[in-house]
Amino acid sequence: MFDRIAGLYDAMNSVMTAGLHHRWRARAAELAAVPLGGRALDVATGTGDLALELARRVGPGGEVIGTDFSRRMLELARSKAVAVPGERLRFEPANALELPYADDAFDAATVGFGARNFASLERGLSEMTRVVKPGGRVVVLEITTPTRPPLSHFFSLWFDRVVPAIGRLVGDSDAYSYLPSSVRRFPPPEQLAAVMWGCGLRQVSYLLTAGGIISLHVGVVSEP
């Protein structure tokens, strides 16, 4: 499915978020707090926008790796990497549940709008935690379901009706029906924080933005 929608992905993101997804990814990259010259991993990178934000922050001596299981998404991500000077950014195929990296290999790991696609949320977050050094950060940027009207009513109308309708117009109703259902299945912010704690992260905190539609979770990898 993700290979199939890769060509539409960026345009649909901009339509669905009025272009604000770039701002949210920039905020996630800031929260990752990767030092100059550091290493960062962006899991489920899609077309690479969050990895690009991280690459801008690590400086010439740093390195950012973006991973995804969709090869078509990675092709599009690599086409964006030419805008980053040097060789600080690369994209590789990988399974988020079995990351092919050593323990403590990165200063931070991020996932933007991809954690809800993990077949096992706990395993995916545990893998992200494993590959980050003690004291480093794991950041999760995700859509969440607001519970208070009137925003909850708007959210339901937008994601349950308008987004699938847009999907039908662009010729992929299945993919854009999957989106709202995946958001509904995803844990609310306080439960996600608890899952992150259970995966070995400490100092777990989160903030809500866009009226409560977007959550940004941060956890610090504890000492062994």
Side-chain angles (χ1 to χ4, degrees):
M1 180 184 75
F2 287 99
D3 280 345
R4 196 172 69 239
I5 67 170
L8 301 169
Y9 186 76
D10 287 347
M12 286 293 287
N13 279 348
S14 293
V15 168
M16 291 187 296
T17 69
L20 293 174
H21 64 102
H22 294 296
R23 183 182 303 175
W24 301 330
R25 286 185 169 93
R27 182 63 176 138
E30 290 172 5
L31 291 171
V34 186
L36 282 174
R39 298 187 79 218
L41 176 69
D42 185 43
V43 178
T45 194
T47 60
D49 285 341
L50 181 46
L52 284 163
E53 291 288 347
L54 291 165
R56 295 185 182 107
R57 289 162 171 78
V58 299
E63 180 183 38
V64 175
I65 300 175
T67 67
D68 205 284
F69 59 26
S70 168
R71 293 185 180 274
R72 179 57 182 147
M73 290 280 194
L74 290 173
E75 289 173 4
L76 295 173
R78 290 185 185 109
S79 71
K80 296 178 181 179
V82 298
V84 179
E87 298 181 356
R88 74 182 79 162
L89 175 61
R90 72 176 191 269
F91 294 98
E92 301 175 344
N95 179 355
L97 307 189
E98 297 179 3
L99 292 171
Y101 307 108
D103 297 357
D104 307 338
F106 298 93
D107 296 291
T110 61
V111 56
F113 306 117
R116 68 177 184 277
N117 300 318
F118 292 169
S120 167
L121 178 61
E122 291 82 359
R123 187 168 174 182
L125 292 177
S126 293
E127 277 291 275
M128 292 175 67
T129 302
R130 176 185 66 79
V131 301
V132 173
K133 302 172 184 176
R137 294 185 174 191
V138 172
V139 179
V140 181
L141 166 64
E142 211 25 287
I143 304 170
T144 191
T145 304
T147 57
R148 295 183 179 180
L151 191 59
S152 59
H153 299 320
F154 167 78
F155 183 88
S156 178
L157 174 65
W158 182 251
F159 270 89
D160 292 339
R161 297 187 181 183
V162 176
V163 169
I166 294 173
R168 288 193 294 273
L169 286 173
V170 299
D172 207 316
S173 59
D174 288 346
Y176 289 96
S177 295
Y178 166 81
L179 172 60
S181 66
S182 68
V183 173
R184 298 290 186 196
R185 291 194 307 269
F186 199 68
E190 62 278 7
Q191 289 184 23
L192 177 57
V195 172
M196 293 175 70
W197 181 276
C199 293
L201 295 165
R202 298 296 178 259
Q203 302 177 43
V204 178
S205 63
Y206 65 88
L207 62 89
L208 301 178
T209 188
I213 294 176
I214 299 297
S215 66
L216 288 141
H217 284 66
V218 183
V220 177
V221 177
S222 62
E223 295 288 340

